[in-house]
Amino acid sequence: MSRQVGLFYFDSSFRPVPLETHFLGIKGKPGSLVSRRNFDRVTYERVLELVREGHQVMVFVHTRKETVKTALALKEAATQEGDIDLFSCEDDPRFTSFRRDIGMSKNKEMKQLFDSGFGIHHAGMLRSDRNLMERLFEAKAIKVLCCTATLAWGVNLPAHAVIIKVRTQLETAIMLISVLRERNSMIQPRANL
């Protein structure tokens, strides 16, 4: 890239918030039961590590169905390991109000996951439910949000880490992007001009 011809390469040194990227490989034949179990296990271990450090995590998946399956698998793993209390947000003074808001939704998966600190977000949900999930994550009433790329379209939610679960026939990988943010470093929306 050359400044003389109007092009310039912007690397990570230009970012106001440092960005780290990690790629993790998963053992097992792609698409096999062993591979899926390893995939879910590694995802859970990374999510647990980040939640123990006091961070929120977004887990991006490819399909609507996978948002619920991933959230339920993470919740189940946390329950089996005895770590479910780490994910709960019941100690938040606004929890009762948040629970009342969730109770008004007709989305049974949202209701099923909320008390444990998990949420879902995808295009198949009502806009009001997606808005609620966004508000709850921003208010830190949800520690783990399993979502599709729909969330990335015009929504600016601060998260310490984003896990992107990628499954293809050729490979199974988890890409972890840890965004080390200072408090209040969320980019503010531009004012209407």
Side-chain angles (χ1 to χ4, degrees):
M1 306 287 177
S2 169
R3 292 182 195 202
Q4 289 76 15
V5 294
L7 298 175
F8 184 71
Y9 175 72
F10 290 93
D11 63 8
S12 62
S13 67
F14 287 89
R15 292 183 55 81
V17 179
L19 180 69
E20 293 178 16
T21 306
H22 305 266
F23 294 90
L24 303 174
I26 307 300
K27 291 182 180 180
K29 182 179 177 185
S32 70
L33 182 60
V34 171
S35 174
R36 283 194 299 273
R37 283 187 184 150
N38 288 341
F39 202 61
D40 289 340
R41 185 73 207 161
V42 169
T43 301
Y44 173 71
E45 288 171 359
R46 289 300 292 150
V47 166
L48 178 63
E49 179 183 332
L50 291 159
V51 168
R52 274 194 175 134
E53 293 172 3
H55 304 298
Q56 289 177 286
V57 183
M58 289 183 196
V59 180
F60 281 89
V61 296
H62 288 294
T63 66
R64 297 171 184 184
K65 223 188 242 186
E66 190 69 25
T67 61
V68 176
K69 285 172 63 176
T70 299
L72 288 172
L74 291 170
K75 178 183 169 188
E76 184 179 324
T79 302
Q80 288 176 352
E81 298 289 325
D83 296 321
I84 196 69
D85 291 340
L86 292 171
F87 293 87
S88 175
C89 296
E90 288 183 14
D91 57 346
D92 188 303
R94 302 167 293 175
F95 184 78
T96 305
S97 172
F98 294 147
R99 182 186 265 167
R100 186 177 51 249
D101 292 344
I102 286 285
M104 293 169 51
S105 171
K106 292 181 176 148
N107 187 315
K108 66 179 182 174
E109 288 93 2
M110 275 177 43
K111 293 177 185 180
Q112 181 182 3
L113 293 163
F114 174 72
D115 284 346
S116 301
F118 294 91
I120 55 172
H121 189 289
H122 59 75
M125 296 169 63
L126 295 174
R127 182 69 218 159
S128 58
D129 287 343
R130 291 194 314 259
N131 287 342
L132 178 58
M133 286 289 100
E134 293 164 17
R135 280 196 326 270
L136 293 175
F137 190 80
E138 190 170 15
K140 299 186 185 322
I142 295 173
K143 292 193 181 171
V144 180
L145 184 60
C146 297
C147 48
T148 61
T150 304
L151 183 67
W153 299 338
V155 178
N156 187 12
L157 291 177
H160 178 80
V162 175
I163 296 177
I164 303 172
K165 287 178 68 174
V166 181
R167 286 186 182 171
T168 66
Q169 292 183 350
L170 299 175
E171 66 180 359
T172 302
I174 294 177
M175 180 174 71
L176 172 67
I177 304 172
S178 296
V179 181
L180 305 175
R181 297 179 184 246
E182 295 177 23
R183 278 192 154 190
N184 301 320
S185 67
M186 184 173 108
I187 298 170
Q188 298 299 317
R190 289 191 338 204
N192 291 338
L193 302 176

